[in-house]
Amino acid sequence: MTTSTTAPAPAASRNRSTGALSAFVGKHFGVISISVVLIVLFAFFSVQTENFLSADNLVNVARQVAPTVIVAMAMTFVITTGQIDLSVGSVVGLSAAALGLWAATGNPVLALLLTVALGLVIGLVNGALAAYGLLQSFIVTLAALTAVRGIALLVTGGYSEPIDSTLIRPLAHGKLLGLYTPTWIAIAFVLLAWYVFSQTKFGRYVTAVGSNAESLRRSGVDIRRIQMAVLGLAGGAAAVAGILTAARLSSGSPNSGTMFELEVITAVVLGGTSLMGGRGSVIGSAIGAVTLGVISNGLVQLRVDVYWVPIVQGLILVVAILLNTKLFSRIARTRK
Amino acid sequence: MPTTATERPSHAQPRVEMADIRKRYGVLDVLRGVNLRVAPGEVIGLVGDNGAGKSTLMKMLAGAVTPDSGKILVDGVELTGAGPREARAHGIEMVYQDLALCNDLDVAANLFLGREIHHRWTRRLDHKRMHAEAAQDLSTLHIRISDTYQEVGNLSGGQRQAVAIARAVTFDPKVLVLDEPTAALAAKEVEMVLQLIRDVSARGVSVVLITHRLQDLFEVCDRFVVLYEGVLHRELQPSETDLSELVTAMMGK
């Protein structure tokens, strides 16, 4: 860093470094608190169960959480703009079903492309209705949650479509450097989402829309395009999740992704993203999604009743949010 | 006193000309045919009671509100009503009363909102350069904010107002509209803002100042324009008037 030669320079630069530290803690306390929760859970399950810490199990967890991580990336953008997308679970179901139907026609590559395009289109329709139709995204995507699931059931007659393509199967079962393909895809999504969210104009406008949309509009930015784009991304990400789910089961079920939207939203909120908009973290969301996966896997390893999983996930959500709003934010404030 | 008596010899071309501006919200006639001319470098004090239409008139100039009828010309070119971007392209900058800042973004991000610097190929924001330029801009304007990485939400009211004004000034505007810029400021900060107004008008920037602190107007204004119930009621010269006459004019007398 170049500093000027004027007298107050040392004081200014010292201010900047302490300021940067408090700004860092302030900006990332959501990520810090969910990381603490994850480490504690990780340690607990490692000690309490024989199998949790085994390489096989961890590789498995990393595969299981991939769809949630992928959609949580896009959902972070949506929620940071102050919107919500309740339709992602239904889009997973329709994408899985559509992939099954289209793959049966004999061109798996085209089927994959069409499926992703379908998700994007659904997301963009949601986005257009919310941004240009001036409807609340909650209402629009609630309608889509119902309607899109209905379409999935309608086109399949309620049955799963078997997928036997040798090209689609490796998307879920292929392995590279010890990790399954979905894990690698999820990692790619996280890196890309982090870059776009924190390093580009688009990402900054996503935050600004949620923080003060009117301010951004007065700055000459088309806020409706941003609001529409993020919902389009969520639809596209949900289609990818649907593809991975169908590939893993070797069949496209119209019932895939039921309640998935709530898991994704929970992951995002766990990661410190504010439902009010203006404050989000893609890294936090990824850690949040992994935390939910670790809870369900760890409890299975503990051999407790499987019905405990949603109960514990709910409790962890409350604890993480309390840590987030009460403890870490206070630390960040006093550091100022 | 008829309003025409205070008209000065008109400049060949006013910087801003607003002609017969009208706006109605439902049954409420906010503006009923207002004409306003602003010369280059002129500082105008736009005053009037609450609801007289001052803020609405200035939001129209800044493109945030579209008039029902009437013309707005900047340097003789008519604005088409295409919004804030068009107004900004014509050199109009407005600092809003409700502080058009994003509290969740840092100081530099707010100063550069809508015109971020980024690399052409990677699309990556040039954070370092924006922070450096932001610090430079603030120090040029004698605004003391030690750290451009601070989130605006953590600043004091006065500091936030200073950031908002700095943001407007760094666009290098032809016309700067300030809506209640000193309302939330400490006495020392008020003087800083007034000095800022003198500085920018000396550079040829026209300033329209809306404020309830009438004593500030006498310090910096070349002319007072009084709105009353949506019409231009009086124009006054600061040298030929005093506080009580101004207050009387604001009450529509």
Side-chain angles (χ1 to χ4, degrees), chain A residues 1-2 11-12 15-23 26-27 194-195 197-205 207-222 277-279 332-333 336, chain B residues 59 63-65 84-85 88 96 98-106 108-110 112-118 122-128 130-132 135 146-151 154-155 167 171:
Chain A
M1 190 173 65
T2 53
N15 263 339
R16 176 153 308 165
S17 63
T18 57
L21 180 68
S22 89
K27 265 179 196 149
W194 172 81
Y195 186 80
F197 193 86
S198 63
Q199 302 296 316
T200 71
K201 241 174 166 171
F202 179 76
R204 175 155 293 175
Y205 292 164
T207 304
V209 166
S211 183
N212 186 346
E214 183 60 13
S215 162
L216 190 63
R217 189 182 76 84
R218 288 172 183 172
S219 300
V221 177
D222 186 349
R279 194 170 277 278
R333 226 173 287 136
K336 198 171 69 175
Chain B
K59 280 179 182 169
V65 171
R85 189 185 280 274
R88 170 160 290 167
Y96 291 88
D98 49 357
L99 294 174
L101 297 174
C102 292
N103 285 341
D104 299 297
L105 295 179
D106 64 30
N110 270 285
F112 279 91
L113 193 65
R115 49 172 176 166
E116 288 79 2
I117 303 169
H118 60 77
T122 63
R123 315 295 297 169
R124 189 170 189 272
L125 293 171
D126 194 339
H127 297 281
K128 210 171 176 181
M130 286 192 283
H131 280 283
S146 57
D147 178 11
T148 56
Y149 287 87
Q150 279 183 84
E151 280 180 23
N154 292 333
L155 299 178
R167 181 173 137 70
F171 277 93

Side-chain angles (χ1 to χ4, degrees), chain A residues 85-95 97 118 122-123 125-126 129 138-156 254-256 261:
Chain A
D85 188 347
L86 299 175
S87 71
V88 289
S90 295
V91 174
V92 166
L94 180 60
S95 306
L118 176 70
I122 293 170
V125 170
N126 281 339
L129 286 168
F138 184 93
I139 305 292
V140 172
T141 59
L142 182 63
L145 161 77
T146 315
V148 171
R149 179 73 66 191
I151 295 169
L153 291 165
L154 184 70
V155 295
T156 55
N255 288 310
S256 302
E261 61 282 339

Side-chain angles (χ1 to χ4, degrees), chain A residues 10-328:
Chain A
S13 71
R14 189 170 58 235
N15 263 339
R16 176 153 308 165
S17 63
T18 57
L21 180 68
S22 89
F24 180 85
V25 175
K27 265 179 196 149
H28 299 285
F29 60 73
V31 179
I32 296 168
S33 61
I34 188 61
S35 302
V36 170
V37 171
L38 179 59
I39 290 165
V40 169
L41 285 168
F42 209 90
F44 175 79
F45 288 130
S46 301
V47 173
Q48 294 294 317
T49 71
E50 270 175 36
N51 212 11
F52 178 79
L53 204 53
S54 73
D56 274 356
N57 187 53
L58 293 181
V59 165
N60 230 333
V61 171
R63 174 165 75 165
Q64 278 165 355
V65 299
T68 314
V69 170
I70 288 166
V71 182
M73 292 301 98
M75 189 67 83
T76 309
F77 283 71
V78 173
I79 293 180
T80 304
T81 62
Q83 305 184 95
I84 193 103
D85 188 347
L86 299 175
S87 71
V88 289
S90 295
V91 174
V92 166
L94 180 60
S95 306
L99 182 67
L101 289 169
W102 286 331
T105 62
N107 191 340
V109 176
L110 186 65
L112 288 169
L113 292 176
L114 281 175
T115 305
V116 174
L118 176 70
L120 277 172
V121 168
I122 293 170
L124 288 172
V125 170
N126 281 339
L129 286 168
Y132 293 91
L134 300 179
L135 300 171
Q136 286 178 357
S137 57
F138 184 93
I139 305 292
V140 172
T141 59
L142 182 63
L145 161 77
T146 315
V148 171
R149 179 73 66 191
I151 295 169
L153 291 165
L154 184 70
V155 295
T156 55
Y159 294 104
S160 293
E161 300 291 330
I163 297 172
D164 51 12
S165 163
T166 51
L167 212 130
I168 292 174
R169 219 185 111 77
L171 285 179
H173 300 279
K175 256 185 166 181
L176 180 70
L177 301 175
L179 295 174
Y180 288 104
T181 323
T183 308
W184 287 111
I185 294 174
I187 290 169
F189 263 78
V190 173
L191 293 177
L192 187 68
W194 172 81
Y195 186 80
V196 174
F197 193 86
S198 63
Q199 302 296 316
T200 71
K201 241 174 166 171
F202 179 76
R204 175 155 293 175
Y205 292 164
V206 164
T207 304
V209 166
S211 183
N212 186 346
E214 183 60 13
S215 162
L216 190 63
R217 189 182 76 84
R218 288 172 183 172
S219 300
V221 177
D222 186 349
I223 59 170
R224 290 170 302 185
R225 258 175 51 190
I226 311 277
Q227 289 166 329
M228 179 169 158
V230 292
L231 283 165
L233 290 177
V240 172
I243 289 168
L244 296 182
T245 307
R248 177 144 162 242
L249 303 172
S250 293
S251 88
S253 163
N255 288 310
S256 302
T258 307
M259 301 281 274
F260 180 65
E261 61 282 339
L262 294 183
E263 184 172 337
V264 171
I265 292 167
T266 305
V268 172
V269 173
L270 271 177
T273 296
S274 164
L275 280 171
M276 310 299 289
R279 194 170 277 278
S281 165
V282 293
I283 302 300
S285 298
I287 299 173
V290 171
T291 304
L292 293 180
V294 164
I295 292 169
S296 64
N297 179 276
L299 290 180
V300 170
Q301 305 287 341
L302 275 179
R303 297 196 174 79
V304 298
D305 197 320
V306 75
Y307 295 123
W308 276 103
V309 171
I311 297 172
V312 174
Q313 286 181 341
L315 288 173
I316 293 292
L317 178 63
V318 172
V319 169
I321 299 303
L322 278 176
L323 274 179
N324 204 333
T325 57
K326 301 292 177 211
L327 189 64
F328 288 97

